[in-house]
Amino acid sequence: MKRFIVILVLTMGFYGTAQTKSELLKHYEAFYNQMRLQGDVDGVINALTHLNVLAPSQERMDTLAYIYANDNQHLQALNTIGIEKVDTDSDLAVQVKAISLKALNQPKRALEHFEVLYQRNPNPYLAYELADLNIQIGDNAKASTHIEYGIANSKDDMRYAFYERQQPYDVPLKAAFIHLKGLVQFNTDKENIDAAIATIDEALAIDPNFNLASLSKQALTSRKQAPSEEPKK
């Protein structure tokens, strides 16, 4: 009889726990949907975190990491899904790792994830990221390969956003590639500044308001003029 009572109590305990967990899941699923409707990012993060504790899901973890990254909380995004290159990662997970590592000034680590995305779905936008990162780490040959692909495959309606000014702006993607081409030319032959400036002028001809290209041209022009200036007395 005592044994029967113990089993009954344990059974009821398990049932109560399962019921409580089920109720909590329903609550946080409803909470998550409501936070999405309200556009409350912190609320969405809170709801997904609770859901992942209650019922771990890689898909939800990837979504949570993406929301962190989209909110410029890149360290939190990487703490959620890690930085390692994993063959079974979803496209979303690889994207988060790539953009977050780039944002945290880790070009070599970001590069390997962008390469995975490019292997899965080659396109001019990913080619631009690869070209830019290869320039940062000093691999001008690989950068040139992606630049030529990008110039050849950029369509007129493709644009790329820049954020070096207080007010973000975008330019035709082809102009962005041509600007990178000018930088590679300079990195490859620093004595032939005129060639690099001429290439950057091509980018500015496509979009005269391309601020980053203007800054690059100013820097190269200043470098060219510097040796001819007389030293101050």
Side-chain angles (χ1 to χ4, degrees):
M1 185 67 179
K2 288 182 179 179
R3 187 177 179 183
F4 173 75
I5 293 172
V6 170
I7 294 172
L8 179 62
V9 170
L10 289 174
T11 302
M12 290 176 66
F14 286 131
Y15 176 76
T17 301
Q19 188 177 35
T20 301
K21 184 176 179 180
S22 176
E23 290 172 353
L24 283 172
L25 280 169
K26 289 179 181 179
H27 166 76
Y28 281 110
E29 285 170 355
F31 181 67
Y32 169 70
N33 290 329
Q34 187 60 39
M35 291 299 99
R36 286 184 61 193
L37 287 173
Q38 294 174 196
D40 187 330
V41 175
D42 290 337
V44 169
I45 290 171
N46 187 355
L48 283 173
T49 301
H50 279 90
L51 286 169
N52 281 322
V53 170
L54 291 166
S57 160
Q58 190 58 53
E59 183 178 4
R60 274 200 298 263
M61 292 289 280
D62 293 348
T63 302
L64 176 57
Y66 175 78
I67 292 169
Y68 272 130
N70 201 45
D71 197 45
N72 292 319
Q73 299 185 61
H74 297 290
L75 189 58
Q76 291 87 337
L78 295 174
N79 285 339
T80 301
I81 58 172
I83 64 172
E84 298 80 10
K85 182 179 175 182
V86 181
D87 292 339
T88 56
D89 271 346
S90 66
D91 288 349
L92 185 61
V94 180
Q95 180 185 347
V96 169
K97 291 177 181 180
I99 62 175
S100 291
L101 286 166
K102 180 182 178 183
L104 293 172
N105 295 316
Q106 297 290 324
K108 287 185 178 180
R109 287 178 169 175
L111 187 59
E112 66 178 3
H113 295 293
F114 275 114
E115 285 173 343
V116 171
L117 290 174
Y118 187 77
Q119 289 166 5
R120 294 180 181 183
N121 180 31
N123 64 73
Y125 288 105
L126 290 173
Y128 182 88
E129 300 296 343
L130 290 169
D132 184 33
L133 289 168
N134 274 298
I135 289 172
Q136 290 183 42
I137 67 173
D139 194 334
N140 294 302
K142 283 187 179 178
S144 293
T145 298
H146 292 299
I147 288 168
E148 294 309 316
Y149 168 87
I151 291 174
N153 291 278
S154 292
K155 297 180 180 179
D156 292 341
D157 61 345
M158 291 181 172
R159 302 184 70 83
Y160 191 87
F162 290 91
Y163 301 91
E164 82 279 355
R165 296 191 312 193
Q166 187 173 2
Q167 182 66 36
Y169 66 98
D170 60 61
V171 303
L173 184 57
K174 186 173 182 178
F177 273 113
I178 293 173
H179 169 244
L180 290 185
K181 183 177 181 179
L183 297 183
V184 169
Q185 286 177 314
F186 172 71
N187 290 338
T188 304
D189 183 3
K190 289 182 169 59
E191 299 302 316
N192 192 2
I193 296 178
D194 286 338
I197 291 175
T199 299
I200 292 174
D201 277 337
E202 291 179 28
L204 288 168
I206 296 174
D207 191 334
N209 296 317
F210 190 173
N211 183 65
L212 187 58
S214 296
L215 293 175
S216 296
K217 181 179 178 180
Q218 290 172 21
L220 290 174
T221 302
S222 297
R223 186 182 179 94
K224 178 182 176 183
Q225 294 173 346
S228 62
E229 294 177 356
E230 293 184 3
K232 294 182 180 179
K233 296 182 180 179

